[in-house]
């Protein structure tokens, strides 16, 4: 069964450093998403991406964050100048191209710890 | 932002009995609702969804009910199995929001023998 994969599973970084979280969405999906879950809090939407453009982003997704689809398979989230409060689980998701109401399938997540 | 609420943080149910999980929402523009299950150290796994044009959707042991007038949905799991022990998230989206899912806080379900 196709699945979304994410690397690395864990990332530890120093405050102020840049990190890149990687995702391989399901191969025939064209809509991609990033969410995060801070420990003890809800899963929060960060950004949606379609046709090489951001479709929608939350207020969390400021200039510190960027997304890219560098090739036909990967979808990345870059966090510049990381802060302590960026520590969270980051989930990538993807959905099919057809229709407005599509189920999003999530990857296993990357646990980011900023020290 | 409390647009999707799951007011029960935990639920304990005996194996073989019914689990009923509840979710309330405040935004009447939501038109698609999903339930996800999550095990520790894993991503959310899709369970079942329902469009706002329906009031019930069933898939095997899982049934989701939607009451639009009350802005309430519920997930029924019958019969509950030990493997169902997980955190269950309710999520909602709007057609015009490019797939932005709003999640509830989750309900921890424990199925006891």
């Amino acid at each position: 069964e196709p699945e979304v994969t994410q690397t690395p599973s864990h990332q530890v970084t120093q405050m102020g450093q840049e990190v890149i979280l990687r995702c391989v969405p399901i191969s025939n999906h064209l809509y991609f998403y990033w969410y995060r879950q801070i420990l003890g809090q809800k899963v929060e939407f960060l950004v949606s991406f379609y046709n090489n453009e951001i479709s929608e982003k939350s207020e969390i997704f400021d200039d510190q964050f960027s997304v890219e689809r560098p090739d036909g398979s990967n979808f990345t989230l870059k966090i510049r100048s990381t802060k302590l409060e960026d520590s969270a689980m980051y989930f990538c998701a993807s959905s099919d191209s057809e229709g407005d109401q599509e189920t999003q399938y999530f990857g296993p997540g990357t646990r980011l710890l900023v020290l | 932002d409390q647009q999707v609420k799951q007011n029960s943080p935990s639920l304990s149910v005996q194996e073989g009995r019914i689990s009923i999980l509840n979710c309330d929402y405040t935004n009447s523009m939501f038109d698609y609702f999903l339930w996800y299950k999550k095990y520790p150290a894993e991503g959310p796994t899709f369970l079942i969804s329902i469009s706002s044009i329906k009031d019930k959707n069933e898939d095997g042991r899982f049934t989701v009910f939607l009451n639009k007038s009350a802005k309430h949905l519920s997930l029924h799991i019958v019969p509950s199995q030990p493997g169902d022990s997980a955190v269950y998230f309710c999520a909602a989206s709007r057609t015009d929001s490019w797939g932005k899912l709003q999640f509830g806080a989750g309900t921890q379900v424990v199925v006891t023998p």
Side-chain angles (χ1 to χ4, degrees):
Chain A
E1 184 176 323
E3 59 182 17
V4 177
T5 60
Q6 292 184 243
T7 55
S9 58
H10 294 79
Q11 175 90 51
V12 180
T13 191
Q14 295 290 322
M15 191 170 56
Q17 296 296 304
E18 174 181 288
V19 295
I20 298 176
L21 310 183
R22 291 183 167 81
C23 168
V24 178
I26 294 173
S27 61
N28 65 335
H29 286 184
L30 296 179
Y31 292 87
F32 314 116
Y33 314 87
W34 283 102
Y35 291 80
R36 78 174 184 188
Q37 186 179 28
I38 295 171
L39 189 63
Q41 298 186 22
K42 290 185 179 184
V43 177
E44 302 173 287
F45 170 83
L46 292 178
V47 66
S48 59
F49 189 87
Y50 170 70
N51 199 26
N52 281 320
E53 289 185 349
I54 291 174
S55 305
E56 179 149 349
K57 58 184 181 180
S58 72
E59 58 276 7
I60 302 168
F61 195 90
D62 58 21
D63 292 343
Q64 185 193 4
F65 296 88
S66 62
V67 289
E68 190 180 25
R69 185 143 164 90
D71 53 42
S73 60
N74 289 283
F75 179 52
T76 63
L77 174 68
K78 182 188 290 186
I79 310 175
R80 287 178 283 273
S81 190
T82 50
K83 298 177 278 193
L84 296 177
E85 54 265 38
D86 295 326
S87 296
M89 279 291 284
Y90 287 81
F91 296 107
C92 173
S94 69
S95 63
D96 203 343
S97 61
E98 298 299 325
D100 295 317
Q101 295 179 334
E102 286 301 320
T103 298
Q104 294 178 29
Y105 294 89
F106 284 75
T110 293
R111 183 173 296 282
L112 176 65
L113 178 61
V114 182
L115 301 176
Chain B
D1 185 353
Q2 294 286 327
Q3 295 192 55
V4 180
K5 299 179 186 178
Q6 293 176 256
N7 292 318
S8 298
S10 63
L11 173 69
S12 182
V13 63
Q14 272 192 315
E15 182 178 1
R17 307 293 287 268
I18 183 171
S19 295
I20 299 177
L21 293 88
N22 294 302
C23 178
D24 297 293
Y25 61 96
T26 58
N27 189 339
S28 59
M29 297 294 290
F30 286 143
D31 53 12
Y32 190 55
F33 304 89
L34 309 92
W35 285 94
Y36 287 87
K37 178 170 77 172
K38 187 180 181 303
Y39 295 117
E42 293 186 14
T45 300
F46 170 71
L47 277 178
I48 192 169
S49 61
I50 188 166
S51 166
S52 60
I53 62 173
K54 296 184 175 181
D55 55 19
K56 177 182 174 181
N57 189 26
E58 192 171 353
D59 184 1
R61 296 187 298 117
F62 302 94
T63 303
V64 55
F65 296 92
L66 176 62
N67 183 334
K68 282 179 297 194
S69 61
K71 295 191 180 68
H72 177 84
L73 64 155
S74 62
L75 174 68
H76 292 206
I77 307 173
V78 183
S80 299
Q81 299 173 353
D84 295 333
S85 296
V87 178
Y88 290 78
F89 291 99
C90 168
S93 71
R94 297 167 42 167
T95 301
D96 61 351
S97 69
W98 288 94
K100 175 181 177 180
L101 289 179
Q102 300 262 27
F103 280 84
T107 296
Q108 172 76 61
V109 172
V110 176
V111 180
T112 58

